[in-house]
Amino acid sequence: MPSEPFVVLADPARRRILDLLRERPRLVGELTEAIGLSQPGTSKHLRVLREAGLVTVRPEAQRRWYELRPQPLAEIDAWLAPYRWMWAERFDALERHLDTMGDA
Amino acid sequence: MPSEPFVVLADPARRRILDLLRERPRLVGELTEAIGLSQPGTSKHLRVLREAGLVTVRPEAQRRWYELRPQPLAEIDAWLAPYRWMWAERFDALERHLDTMGDA
DNA sequence: TCCTTACATGCCGTTGACGGTATATAGCTG
DNA sequence: CAGCTATATACCGTCAACGGCATGTAAGGA
């Protein structure tokens, strides 16, 4: 039962991890250094990401290659979709214009 | 200093409020009933949304009309942007294909 | 086998989110 | 003014997230 992607993304360290994995798979050690947390701390964030289906692991001897699995982000995108047109340029002006037409 | 939109959206009640405001401005009472929390609970979520710049208030006598202000969502969208192509149809297959090519 | 590397897990403390009830505040109405 | 309506704030309890350190576990190397 993967947790909500929204909740998972609320933590900046986890967003950073995903951003790093966007480039290429990474080892826990690399990620630890990059995000500036302890190794256990990093591992715990990776667990959350794994349980949310946002990363997968590929073991190689004692190492673990973490790779991005972006599918769950589609849920975020879907929620966002109906809002997306709204912040396009000069929306406020358009809205005021439509309000004016409504008055007429 | 508005809080992170990601954090604000982590709570389902707040996402629900935004969804409701997408249709039209609403009074606190309407929102309270819709999300099934206590009135103070609703007010507190509205405060968070206000401080994040996601809603604005228009007082009218004792009533408060809350309206959507979608601009901060652009930050979410911007973060999401580089991922968006990735979950397009059959990405997994493409990825496997590229991996195979790498092996060859 | 012993040590080291790479990572996961257990445990703990602190902190803040979230929800509720009680109460304050502001504006209307009679 | 009294009292009602609509909303905000104060205060409190609970719980879980997040971070750290210590330790467990698995694999490789000497």
Side-chain angles (χ1 to χ4, degrees):
Chain A
M1 205 165 289
S3 25
E4 289 261 14
F6 281 101
V7 174
V8 175
L9 292 190
D11 190 287
R14 288 194 288 262
R15 291 199 301 277
R16 182 104 174 83
I17 289 175
L18 294 178
D19 284 339
L20 289 164
L21 294 183
R22 198 150 43 77
E23 191 187 337
R24 58 178 177 79
R26 309 258 185 180
L27 297 171
V28 178
E30 298 180 67
L31 295 170
T32 297
E33 191 183 8
I35 69 180
L37 288 184
S38 66
Q39 175 266 310
T42 305
S43 274
K44 279 182 259 186
H45 282 302
L46 287 169
R47 162 128 83 150
V48 173
L49 290 166
R50 234 186 302 131
E51 289 172 350
L54 278 160
V55 301
T56 56
V57 205
R58 189 161 42 83
E60 179 190 284
Q62 333 92 302
R63 302 178 180 169
R64 310 283 150 130
W65 290 100
Y66 276 87
E67 22 197 302
L68 181 62
R69 191 175 161 274
Q71 280 76 11
L73 295 178
E75 183 178 328
I76 310 272
D77 196 54
W79 183 84
L80 211 55
Y83 296 88
R84 189 163 297 122
W85 69 276
M86 292 185 178
W87 61 78
E89 46 145 353
R90 305 304 306 146
F91 166 65
D92 284 353
L94 172 61
E95 191 183 44
R96 277 194 299 275
H97 179 60
L98 292 177
D99 281 359
T100 303
M101 292 179 61
D103 289 355
Chain B
M1 205 167 287
S3 26
E4 288 262 14
F6 281 101
V7 174
V8 174
L9 292 190
D11 190 288
R14 289 193 287 262
R15 292 199 300 277
R16 181 105 175 82
I17 289 175
L18 293 179
D19 284 339
L20 289 164
L21 295 184
R22 199 148 44 76
E23 191 186 337
R24 57 178 177 78
R26 311 258 185 178
L27 297 172
V28 178
E30 299 180 64
L31 295 170
T32 296
E33 191 182 9
I35 68 180
L37 287 185
S38 65
Q39 175 266 311
T42 305
S43 275
K44 279 182 262 185
H45 282 302
L46 288 169
R47 160 125 87 147
V48 173
L49 290 166
R50 235 186 301 130
E51 289 173 349
L54 278 160
V55 301
T56 57
V57 205
R58 189 162 41 84
E60 179 189 285
Q62 334 90 300
R63 300 175 181 175
R64 310 284 149 129
W65 290 100
Y66 277 87
E67 23 196 302
L68 181 62
R69 190 174 162 275
Q71 280 76 10
L73 295 178
E75 182 177 329
I76 309 272
D77 196 54
W79 183 86
L80 210 56
Y83 294 88
R84 188 164 298 122
W85 69 276
M86 292 185 179
W87 61 80
E89 45 144 357
R90 305 306 303 147
F91 168 66
D92 283 354
L94 172 62
E95 191 182 44
R96 277 194 298 275
H97 180 59
L98 293 178
D99 282 358
T100 303
M101 292 179 62
D103 288 354

